[in-house]
Amino acid sequence: LPASNMSAPLFLVELEAMREVLARELRGVWDQIVAWPSAAPFLQPVRPTEDSAPDYYDVVLHPMDLGTIGKRVEAQVYDTALDFIKDVRLVFENSFYYNTNKDSDIFQMTEQCSKTFERMVPSWVSGMASSQVRARRSLLKKMKKAANADKSASDSAQLAEAAAAGAGA
């Protein structure tokens, strides 16, 4: 750990480390989602004119797209995997809500993405939880080692001061 982090309260250092682990895990999940061929329509915000959806923003009250989610992952906006999952689900819920023709390509793509995502969520969440536990253990070991090093340095300084005081007497 950088020395600058050691002066921060323990919970802040741990929180930052956990956020970094979460962001790394979410980035991996996001990378998988955007690689799905059927995810292409969801990679950017709906463009009403170009996407033939002139009333989209009148109908959909909370728009979300995978590109925005990716930016949020990079900015470490998500505090939990559940927040990320809610946003991904919102992408597909919005599409189902707006695109009601079950025979349309966009509806079929939405259905495929949504079903694939829901099938994969349990294993992703389980994997993320394991990563969080491993990261926390590793961080605590590093912090304990750093605390022991600080204690040893402090003890050595006290011995040196005592020796110097004894020599001066």
Side-chain angles (χ1 to χ4, degrees), residues 12 21-22 67 100 126 147:
L12 290 179
V21 170
L22 178 64
T100 57
S126 176

Side-chain angles (χ1 to χ4, degrees), residues 92-126:
F92 306 134
E93 288 166 5
N94 287 343
S95 182
F96 281 129
Y97 186 70
Y98 189 79
N99 302 292
T100 57
N101 179 354
K102 293 182 179 186
D103 295 326
S104 69
D105 288 343
I106 189 67
F107 188 93
Q108 297 299 316
M109 294 169 97
T110 305
E111 192 167 54
Q112 185 177 3
C113 285
S114 179
K115 285 182 178 180
T116 302
F117 181 71
E118 294 303 328
R119 266 194 321 269
M120 299 175 105
V121 164
S123 63
W124 284 335
V125 170
S126 176

